[in-house]
Amino acid sequence: MLMSNIKKIIACLLAVMLCTTLVNYSTLKVMAMQEIKMNIDGFSIIFYDDDGQGHGSLWIMGYSGTDTEVTLPTIINYNGKTYSGSGCVAADAFKNNSTVKKIIVPDGYDCIQENAFYGCSSLEEVIVGDSNIKDYGVYIDSNAFANCPKLKTYRFGMNAVEIYDSNLDLGIGKDANDMIYPGVTAYVKKGSEMDSYLQKKNNQSNGNKITIVYQDNPASAAKVEYTIPNNNKNKDSGKDSNDDTSGGKKTKFSPGQPYSDADKAITAYKSEADLDGSVFNILQLKVKKATKKSIKIGWKKANKAVKYVVYGNACGKKNKYVKLATVKGTSKQFKKIKKAKLKKAKYYKFILVAIDKDNKIISTSKTVHIATKGGKVDSAKKVKVKSGTKVKIKVGKTSKISAKEVAPAKKKIKVHRKLSFESTNEKVATVDKKGNIKGVAAGSCEVYVYSQCGISAKINVTIQK
């Protein structure tokens, strides 16, 4: 009898915990971090404040100073508040700079984006420290160091590179024609990913080679903490005209926005809710196939898209999105994320951005949550619409969708997001989060019902006068 009562108590507690979890998921709202702009000591900086307490992501957007040796900041004391967090050198930040001769990217920077130091005509030496993310390197994007004729010395930390796309060329020691300059030397840790990358590039070169020198701690100079002091010397008491002093929130994910802005925001994003400005119907990102050790995602081709960028990580609010791959096709398989192999019976999250020839956003996908095989949980295998896939109503009238996710046999779906709904033309018909379609104007459109893994069903809607 005692054992029976204990089991009942445990069952009740589990039920309460489950209900609390579901309520938390259902009430989750999209939160965009605060964006604070600063111009200090020649640096143009954007700080994405995750929690309003000065913790977040520090982005170096540009440099207009006159110093010949530049150490990138790690801590900013600005207008009475301290800002610190992961650092990133934005795309084109130092592009075509003719003043700087030495750059130190200290420990704590997680990414150096494309063309970040492209065409720096006076640059002679670059030191790149280790990432702020434990056990993972600094992500360096294409042509970050290309076309710097005097840049002959590179020093990379023991874990100073994370190459997600093996086809990327970082531009190390190369001119605008993709040829290696004579006399380029790179100091690296033997067996590191940068070591492997440089050896590969040397093997591909028909001309000059990069001299690789092995050291146990090749970037010791990068273990420096550069603090930017309060900028009260300015006439405006340190407030820059570009600052977002109102504390307003901005989103970067809508069509027509610069891709570089979205990239910064996504890699700083902690919530698992959908991004503001994201839509489902254009890309229809979804699971194509999952095994115990891999996940393959697929999507629709977007009109005028020249490339797609995939972001992802293991599910969990503490796991920020990382840039996984740049793809020209409409599918991609992943066996690893940040060098870690995918684990069985575990959920992973993905976001996709479609980009046009001008490097602007065409569309940003909804977040998908996909489970690997091998356990009791799984992704939905289909979405079943009980109320029918054709709806005809008059303007001003409503019709409710009745639908559910169908899990594979003997499997359960761990809820990260409930079934969601989207109209392809809200000028004709709208649909709310409960699936209520409302006629707005005469015409036709589609309403998608989509699951957290991207599997969906389409409802053809006709609105009559």
Side-chain angles (χ1 to χ4, degrees):
M1 180 64 72
L2 177 61
M3 183 61 68
S4 177
N5 288 338
I6 291 173
K7 288 181 178 179
K8 288 180 181 179
I9 292 170
I10 292 173
C12 290
L13 289 172
L14 289 173
V16 170
M17 291 170 65
L18 177 60
C19 290
T20 303
T21 301
L22 292 176
V23 168
N24 287 340
Y25 279 123
S26 65
T27 57
L28 188 62
K29 295 181 179 179
V30 176
M31 296 296 291
M33 69 292 295
Q34 182 179 351
E35 179 187 272
I36 302 165
K37 296 182 180 180
M38 315 171 187
N39 281 334
I40 311 176
D41 284 6
F43 291 105
S44 175
I45 298 169
I46 294 180
F47 189 88
Y48 293 95
D49 197 343
D50 288 350
D51 56 8
Q53 303 299 315
H55 306 117
S57 302
L58 188 161
W59 286 76
I60 307 299
M61 307 303 298
Y63 181 73
S64 59
T66 58
D67 291 342
T68 57
E69 180 173 324
V70 174
T71 300
L72 304 188
T74 56
I75 298 174
I76 301 173
N77 296 306
Y78 186 69
N79 291 338
K81 193 170 184 178
T82 300
Y83 299 92
S84 62
S86 299
C88 188
V89 186
D92 303 333
F94 286 80
K95 187 175 182 180
N96 296 328
N97 181 287
S98 60
T99 303
V100 179
K101 293 183 178 181
K102 182 177 180 179
I103 289 280
I104 298 175
V105 183
D107 289 359
Y109 274 73
D110 296 338
C111 70
I112 299 174
Q113 291 195 324
E114 58 186 347
N115 300 321
F117 300 103
Y118 182 94
C120 290
S121 57
S122 299
L123 190 58
E124 298 173 356
E125 181 179 2
V126 167
I127 301 174
V128 180
D130 289 324
S131 169
N132 203 35
I133 304 174
K134 186 179 180 181
D135 299 328
Y136 299 108
V138 181
Y139 173 74
I140 304 178
D141 213 335
S142 59
N143 290 317
F145 302 104
N147 199 25
C148 300
K150 295 183 180 180
L151 181 50
K152 302 298 178 70
T153 303
Y154 296 83
R155 297 181 181 274
F156 292 102
M158 292 178 285
N159 200 21
V161 66
E162 185 85 11
I163 301 172
Y164 294 114
D165 187 343
S166 59
N167 295 319
L168 283 181
D169 195 315
L170 312 185
I172 295 173
K174 290 191 173 183
D175 62 19
N177 296 317
D178 204 33
M179 301 296 291
I180 296 176
Y181 292 111
V184 176
T185 301
Y187 297 83
V188 301
K189 174 77 173 180
K190 187 175 179 62
S192 64
E193 191 162 356
M194 180 57 83
D195 178 19
S196 300
Y197 170 82
L198 293 175
Q199 290 190 47
K200 177 182 177 181
K201 292 304 174 182
N202 276 344
N203 291 336
Q204 294 172 346
S205 175
N206 295 321
N208 298 310
K209 309 289 185 182
I210 297 172
T211 300
I212 303 174
V213 179
Y214 296 124
Q215 292 183 347
D216 288 336
N217 194 5
S220 58
K223 296 183 182 298
V224 60
E225 184 175 284
Y226 178 40
T227 301
I228 287 185
N230 201 337
N231 199 28
N232 287 329
K233 292 181 180 179
N234 288 352
K235 293 180 180 179
D236 58 0
S237 300
K239 293 185 179 180
D240 181 73
S241 59
N242 291 322
D243 289 351
D244 183 7
T245 54
S246 65
K249 295 173 181 177
K250 300 179 180 179
T251 58
K252 309 290 184 182
F253 318 111
S254 300
Q257 295 297 310
Y259 161 64
S260 58
D261 290 351
D263 181 65
K264 302 181 196 75
I266 292 173
T267 53
Y269 193 64
K270 288 184 177 179
S271 173
E272 293 197 322
D274 292 323
L275 301 168
D276 279 350
S278 63
V279 297
F280 173 78
N281 76 86
I282 295 177
L283 294 170
Q284 297 184 28
L285 179 63
K286 66 178 181 180
V287 58
K288 289 199 75 172
K289 184 180 180 180
T291 69
K292 291 181 180 180
K293 298 180 179 180
S294 70
I295 290 174
K296 186 175 184 180
I297 58 175
W299 56 89
K300 283 183 63 178
K301 183 178 180 180
N303 186 33
K304 296 184 179 181
V306 298
K307 61 182 177 180
Y308 305 87
V309 182
V310 183
Y311 298 85
N313 207 336
C315 286
K317 295 179 185 178
K318 293 183 179 180
N319 296 328
K320 289 184 179 181
Y321 289 92
V322 294
K323 186 177 180 180
L324 300 180
T326 301
V327 185
K328 291 186 177 180
T330 56
S331 65
K332 181 68 176 178
Q333 184 184 55
F334 295 98
K335 296 182 179 180
K336 293 181 179 180
I337 290 181
K338 299 195 304 185
K339 289 187 178 180
K341 293 180 180 180
L342 270 61
K343 298 179 180 179
K344 70 175 184 179
K346 186 177 179 68
Y347 278 90
Y348 294 86
K349 56 188 177 183
F350 299 90
I351 292 172
L352 183 74
V353 181
I355 304 166
D356 66 15
K357 63 180 180 62
D358 297 318
N359 225 30
K360 292 186 177 181
I361 296 172
I362 293 174
S363 185
T364 303
S365 77
K366 296 293 185 179
T367 303
V368 295
H369 302 268
I370 301 169
T372 48
K373 303 289 185 180
K376 295 181 180 180
V377 297
D378 209 335
S379 303
K381 67 176 183 178
K382 68 177 181 179
V383 172
K384 184 176 182 181
V385 180
K386 302 177 187 177
S387 53
T389 57
K390 292 184 179 180
V391 171
K392 286 186 179 181
I393 55 175
K394 292 184 177 181
V395 173
K397 299 298 182 180
T398 61
S399 177
K400 183 174 177 59
I401 300 170
S402 177
K404 69 174 184 178
E405 292 176 290
V406 180
K410 298 181 180 180
K411 302 292 182 180
K412 294 181 179 180
I413 298 171
K414 182 180 178 180
V415 178
H416 291 80
R417 181 188 64 210
K418 292 183 177 181
L419 272 179
S420 300
F421 308 87
E422 182 177 294
S423 169
T424 60
N425 190 344
E426 293 191 339
K427 293 181 179 180
V428 173
T430 60
V431 60
D432 65 19
K433 63 182 180 180
K434 294 183 179 180
N436 295 305
I437 300 173
K438 183 176 181 179
V440 177
S444 60
C445 65
E446 292 81 40
V447 167
Y448 283 93
V449 187
Y450 57 96
S451 66
Q452 65 183 24
C453 69
I455 298 296
S456 65
K458 183 174 70 173
I459 300 168
N460 295 308
V461 179
T462 302
I463 307 299
Q464 301 170 331
K465 292 183 178 179

